[in-house]
Amino acid sequence: MRGKLVLIFSVRYTHFAMLNKDIADLLGNVAAAYTIKDENKFRFQIIAYQKAASSIENSSTQISNLIKENKLGTLPGVGPSIREHLKELVKKGKVRHFEWVFKGIPDSVFPLLKIPSLGPKTAYKLVKSFNLKNPVTVITDIKLIAMEGKISKLAGFGEKSEKDILQVINEYEKGKNKAKRMTLPFAFQIAENIITHMRKSKDVIRVEALGSLRRMVPTVGDIDIAASTKHPRNVINHFTNYPYVERVLEKGDVSSSILVSGGHQVDLMIQPENSFGSLLQHFTGSKSHNIHLREYALKKGLSLSEYGIKKVPDKESQIKKYDSEDKFYKDLGLAWIPPELREDTGEIEQAAKGKLPILVDLNDIKGDLHVHSNFPIEPSHDLGKSSMEEILEKGKTIGYEYIGFAEHNPSFSKHSSSEMYKIIENKRKKIEQLNSGKKYIRSFNLLEVDINTRGVLPIDDRVLNLLDFAIVSIHTSFGLNKKEMTNRILKGLFHKKVKILGHPTGRMINERDEYELDWEKILNFCYKNKIALEINSWPNRLDIDDLIIRKAVDKNVKLAINTDSHAAYQMANMKFGIALAKRGWAKKSDIINTFSYNELSEWFNS
DNA sequence: GCCGTTTTCGGCCCGACTGTTTTCAGTCG
């Protein structure tokens, strides 16, 4: 989207707020325009605008709110100059400086940048050569021109590139509506299938999933796989012969990319065994972590790559190879950095000081406090599928000490207060009975209680007092604004039996955005009243994200990592919640379900 | 245009792959 279009929108819709994605696109287009104008002259502006764009796209707070709170400068990569441009953008709907950068570049260039393999130079050349001016039709225009065989006649283009352009446009049009980012667990499954295929080759020594998958980012774009071998060519061939390949995108000496069914891209990189450590490091990323790490190394006169480390000034110097990541980081004077932290948010500085936190681990978890059993509670939402006994058995196999049974509250509209009391009393008796013997691990009597639109809980105090404690969460009316939603939640948290705020942002990946909250207020309230925020491990919730977790950890607000399971086998999703917690720099002591049964009982009674 | 373990000035990661080229430009991660 370009400046002009933005202006039209903001005039037409007085309340039209530019979302971070739109702003990131706009800054990306500024970088592209600079590239077209003069790549060498503006090379550092290009890098700066790209960096700012990706920073804004990944920000969990809307730019308009950051401006209101005067916190725009806290975003990495946004300095005084871009900050002023963004203020102008939000205020006036356009930016004078951007208009200057865009001058002479047709609007029709920018839609083409969405298509893989078409960059600014190529897009500009095509648009100019064929005088294409309409940004709405430009993609189909190019397609028709390619079909007429006119692109191959252009200097710098040939038959192959013409064919490639047709192909990527077709794929783009086909996948435009579906190829969204995968949820982490879904991507894991695809990666697992490919790794299984790779292990069938006798030439593969080691094979691992890296990239955002290894960093455990909640959504994954491409899947990255690394392998070690003595015979790269055989391994690359084996890779491109994967049975579910839709198309081979690239096939080189040490790397290859394929599209698998569903349109997901898988990248493979290869190194010999003795350089596998530096390959792990390189291919795990993130990109910004690697760039920062390489700048850091450069200052010590070292140059890093997937091949290893070499000394910069000495042209004769041999590259030093690494079979493990540990040694790689060590030679830079750094502690090994857990992949979940490699997002360039201060981890390199802390590693240099030897002050990285010891992160919570799956083995630290002593129970799951948000499990829905099939106890006949006549709930407002889904009932679980497994019995309490099955869930307790499963918990025991995992090595837990306790389970929190947190079914949805009995539906408000269908039950009188005394009926509700009766149901919960029955459940309480059932749990007392389960706890009385030695057969099972311990159970907590909990409920997941809705917070209605006005912040009221649909069950009264008498019922609440039957519980060990309550989780409260939002399942309706997601459209409230930031202030209304914050007040609604604060009100819902007020009862002394409430100890956990469930899936706090309400997001459903690829389905529903999170609602915005005043986190400052929520966190302060939780700290004062000893309420834990839930880290929900449900595959398409993965809620809350790492940035909020980190804020909570900084403010000493406790967290609970739960699976929200509706069947016993789903309790295995705990590992995804753990990953989120790690990404938020959480330690064992930050997580209440690392406490023993007694410690936890004491915590929620205090 | 951003940023700070040597810096408020002077740096800015490193490499693979492809197509169209006879040594490189463009794109990507």
Side-chain angles (χ1 to χ4, degrees), chain A residues 113-140:
Chain A
L113 302 180
K114 303 261 183 211
I115 296 169
S117 83
L118 293 189
K121 300 280 187 77
T122 315
Y124 184 69
K125 213 188 267 179
L126 289 172
V127 159
K128 274 295 195 192
S129 304
F130 299 108
N131 196 26
L132 305 174
K133 288 185 178 145
N134 187 343
V136 180
T137 60
V138 65
I139 293 176
T140 39

Side-chain angles (χ1 to χ4, degrees), chain A residues 13-14 36 54 70 88 107 121 140 197 217 225 249 315 344 360 376 386 406 429 460 485 526 536 541 544 590 599 604:
Chain A
Y13 305 103
T14 41
I36 293 164
S54 100
N70 212 7
E88 188 182 337
D107 284 344
K121 300 280 187 77
T140 39
H197 169 75
V217 184
I225 309 271
L249 297 172
K315 289 213 169 64
D344 191 23
V360 63
S386 307
K429 281 180 189 156
D460 58 34
M485 201 56 109
C526 288
N536 189 295
R541 284 195 185 270
I544 41 189
D590 297 313
E599 286 167 344
F604 66 71

Side-chain angles (χ1 to χ4, degrees), chain A residues 308-416:
Chain A
I309 302 180
K310 59 185 175 189
K311 292 203 173 72
V312 176
D314 181 3
K315 289 213 169 64
E316 300 299 303
S317 98
Q318 288 285 314
I319 192 153
K320 187 172 176 195
K321 296 180 177 178
Y322 295 85
D323 60 357
S324 90
E325 256 187 352
D326 207 40
K327 294 178 198 157
F328 186 94
Y329 279 103
K330 203 170 171 190
D331 271 7
L332 299 173
L334 299 172
W336 178 79
I337 301 174
E340 291 88 347
L341 300 188
R342 299 185 198 170
E343 301 292 347
D344 191 23
T345 56
E347 73 280 7
I348 293 171
E349 291 77 4
Q350 295 304 310
K353 291 185 207 150
K355 284 191 176 165
L356 285 175
I358 297 172
L359 302 175
V360 63
D361 189 74
L362 189 55
N363 295 323
D364 296 327
I365 297 296
K366 298 216 167 65
D368 191 336
L369 294 173
H370 189 165
V371 182
H372 296 258
S373 77
N374 67 2
F375 185 84
I377 204 166
E378 299 164 43
S380 49
H381 310 281
D382 299 345
L383 190 66
K385 292 189 172 60
S386 307
S387 68
M388 288 182 169
E389 289 82 356
E390 286 166 337
I391 289 162
L392 292 169
E393 286 291 350
K394 177 72 181 176
K396 194 175 180 179
T397 334
I398 298 173
Y400 288 163
E401 284 183 28
Y402 50 82
I403 293 291
F405 289 107
E407 296 78 12
H408 293 289
N409 56 271
S411 67
F412 179 69
S413 53
K414 291 183 187 141
H415 298 90
S416 67

Side-chain angles (χ1 to χ4, degrees), chain A residues 253-525:
Chain A
D253 299 330
V254 294
S255 73
S256 170
S257 296
I258 56 174
L259 281 184
V260 299
S261 32
H264 305 295
Q265 184 173 333
V266 184
D267 300 331
L268 175 74
M269 287 186 90
I270 305 268
Q271 284 291 312
E273 186 63 15
N274 62 359
S275 321
F276 199 62
S278 47
L279 178 61
L280 283 179
Q281 197 291 316
H282 166 78
F283 212 22
T284 297
S286 64
K287 184 175 179 160
S288 47
H289 172 86
N290 282 358
I291 289 175
H292 189 167
L293 193 69
R294 286 167 186 189
E295 285 169 353
Y296 177 86
L298 214 49
K299 285 168 191 155
K300 301 185 170 210
L302 300 171
S303 170
L304 315 180
S305 75
E306 59 267 46
Y307 296 101
I309 302 180
K310 59 185 175 189
K311 292 203 173 72
V312 176
D314 181 3
K315 289 213 169 64
E316 300 299 303
S317 98
Q318 288 285 314
I319 192 153
K320 187 172 176 195
K321 296 180 177 178
Y322 295 85
D323 60 357
S324 90
E325 256 187 352
D326 207 40
K327 294 178 198 157
F328 186 94
Y329 279 103
K330 203 170 171 190
D331 271 7
L332 299 173
L334 299 172
W336 178 79
I337 301 174
E340 291 88 347
L341 300 188
R342 299 185 198 170
E343 301 292 347
D344 191 23
T345 56
E347 73 280 7
I348 293 171
E349 291 77 4
Q350 295 304 310
K353 291 185 207 150
K355 284 191 176 165
L356 285 175
I358 297 172
L359 302 175
V360 63
D361 189 74
L362 189 55
N363 295 323
D364 296 327
I365 297 296
K366 298 216 167 65
D368 191 336
L369 294 173
H370 189 165
V371 182
H372 296 258
S373 77
N374 67 2
F375 185 84
I377 204 166
E378 299 164 43
S380 49
H381 310 281
D382 299 345
L383 190 66
K385 292 189 172 60
S386 307
S387 68
M388 288 182 169
E389 289 82 356
E390 286 166 337
I391 289 162
L392 292 169
E393 286 291 350
K394 177 72 181 176
K396 194 175 180 179
T397 334
I398 298 173
Y400 288 163
E401 284 183 28
Y402 50 82
I403 293 291
F405 289 107
E407 296 78 12
H408 293 289
N409 56 271
S411 67
F412 179 69
S413 53
K414 291 183 187 141
H415 298 90
S416 67
S417 177
S418 61
E419 284 169 338
M420 280 204 203
Y421 187 87
K422 188 114 195 175
I423 294 172
I424 304 302
E425 194 181 33
N426 284 341
K427 186 187 157 197
R428 182 184 160 127
K429 281 180 189 156
K430 165 85 179 178
I431 284 179
E432 278 170 0
Q433 176 223 323
L434 289 168
N435 277 341
S436 64
K438 286 247 154 60
K439 183 168 179 199
Y440 298 112
I441 58 174
R442 309 301 302 267
S443 299
F444 287 114
N445 181 26
L446 315 180
L447 269 188
E448 182 184 13
V449 182
D450 288 332
I451 307 174
N452 81 12
T453 314
R454 293 188 313 282
V456 178
L457 305 183
I459 60 177
D460 58 34
D461 286 8
R462 217 165 58 98
V463 184
L464 276 172
N465 285 331
L466 290 172
L467 305 175
D468 288 320
F469 62 92
I471 301 174
V472 293
S473 40
I474 286 189
H475 295 103
T476 53
S477 306
F478 303 101
L480 272 58
N481 68 31
K482 182 173 175 178
K483 195 176 169 191
E484 292 165 337
M485 201 56 109
T486 303
N487 289 338
R488 173 185 182 182
I489 287 180
L490 290 178
K491 205 171 160 197
L493 291 175
F494 201 71
H495 198 283
K496 68 177 187 339
K497 277 283 178 184
V498 172
K499 281 294 166 189
I500 295 179
L501 175 60
H503 43 74
T505 77
R507 73 130 168 217
M508 296 281 239
I509 295 169
N510 291 339
E511 284 174 39
R512 183 172 75 213
D513 284 341
E514 60 182 56
Y515 37 76
E516 274 202 73
L517 292 174
D518 186 334
W519 279 105
E520 194 80 9
K521 279 188 185 166
I522 301 268
L523 291 171
N524 287 340
F525 186 92

